[in-house]
Amino acid sequence: MLGEKGLGVRTVTDTHPKEIFTFEQPCPIRDVLDRIGDQWSLLVLEALQGGVLRFNELNRRIDDISKQMLSRTLKRLEEDGFIRPASSNS
């Protein structure tokens, strides 16, 4: 049975239902999964595990990701502090 807001799970065997789990409670694991749980973020992080890659090298290592999606994913991972841009020595 869903709670009043449609969130969480309640037992129905007791005369006074008890809340088992609610999505309103803070959860650090859920926060991390919200940030890296999309289709591409884990693949990008895995590809970067071996070291610094240029954008096109990274794009070639991850099949089926468009350049636009890779750019968005890198930007979001950088904003969330998972990666940082490498300095270019040009």
Side-chain angles (χ1 to χ4, degrees), residues 34-65:
D34 285 344
R35 293 183 171 160
I36 63 169
D38 63 69
Q39 182 177 1
W40 301 111
S41 293
L42 285 176
L43 293 172
V44 169
L45 291 172
E46 192 274 330
L48 291 172
Q49 183 179 349
V52 176
L53 293 174
R54 292 186 170 274
F55 183 88
N56 286 330
E57 291 173 310
L58 186 57
N59 189 239
R60 282 190 295 271
R61 287 196 184 191
I62 303 172
D63 293 334
D64 298 328
I65 191 170

Side-chain angles (χ1 to χ4, degrees), residues 2-83:
L2 293 176
E4 294 172 5
K5 296 181 183 179
L7 302 173
V9 178
R10 297 182 183 270
T11 60
V12 291
T13 55
D14 296 332
T15 56
H16 296 61
K18 297 178 185 176
E19 190 116 351
I20 296 173
F21 178 79
T22 180
F23 294 110
E24 295 172 1
Q25 296 174 349
C27 178
I29 294 171
R30 189 176 327 110
D31 293 341
V32 171
L33 289 176
D34 285 344
R35 293 183 171 160
I36 63 169
D38 63 69
Q39 182 177 1
W40 301 111
S41 293
L42 285 176
L43 293 172
V44 169
L45 291 172
E46 192 274 330
L48 291 172
Q49 183 179 349
V52 176
L53 293 174
R54 292 186 170 274
F55 183 88
N56 286 330
E57 291 173 310
L58 186 57
N59 189 239
R60 282 190 295 271
R61 287 196 184 191
I62 303 172
D63 293 334
D64 298 328
I65 191 170
S66 69
K67 289 184 179 193
Q68 182 180 12
M69 182 55 69
L70 178 57
S71 180
R72 285 183 194 168
T73 302
L74 289 169
K75 183 177 180 180
R76 196 177 68 253
L77 288 171
E78 183 182 347
E79 288 171 353
D80 290 339
F82 288 99
I83 61 171

